[in-house]
Amino acid sequence: MSPTPADGAAGTGKELTVAATTATVGGTNAPVSFSGLAADFVVLYQVNVQVPTGLASGNQPLVLSVSGVLSKAVMVAVK
């Protein structure tokens, strides 16, 4: 995190992950606009992702990668 929060302190929404964070939705690269601590929570991370245009409607898999480590896919509804 940068800046590093104090132990036990709630996030302000300005603490960003230092590790590279990327995302795909439906196998297509999805821009990450924020990756860091969620405001007003202790140790709750938030990642904001923009759904790419041109995806088929319906459920699509969302996968995050932080420092090259992939998350399990979760389904998101695309309309």
Side-chain angles (χ1 to χ4, degrees), residues 18-75:
V18 177
T21 304
T22 60
T24 60
V25 177
T28 302
N29 288 333
V32 173
S33 59
F34 176 82
S35 177
L37 289 178
D40 301 323
F41 290 91
V42 177
V43 194
L44 176 64
Y45 290 85
Q46 173 179 327
V47 179
N48 296 354
V49 176
Q50 180 181 346
V51 176
T53 59
L55 292 179
S57 293
N59 291 334
Q60 298 287 345
L62 164 66
V63 178
L64 296 176
S65 172
V66 179
S67 289
V69 179
L70 298 177
S71 70
K72 291 183 179 182
V74 295
M75 302 306 281

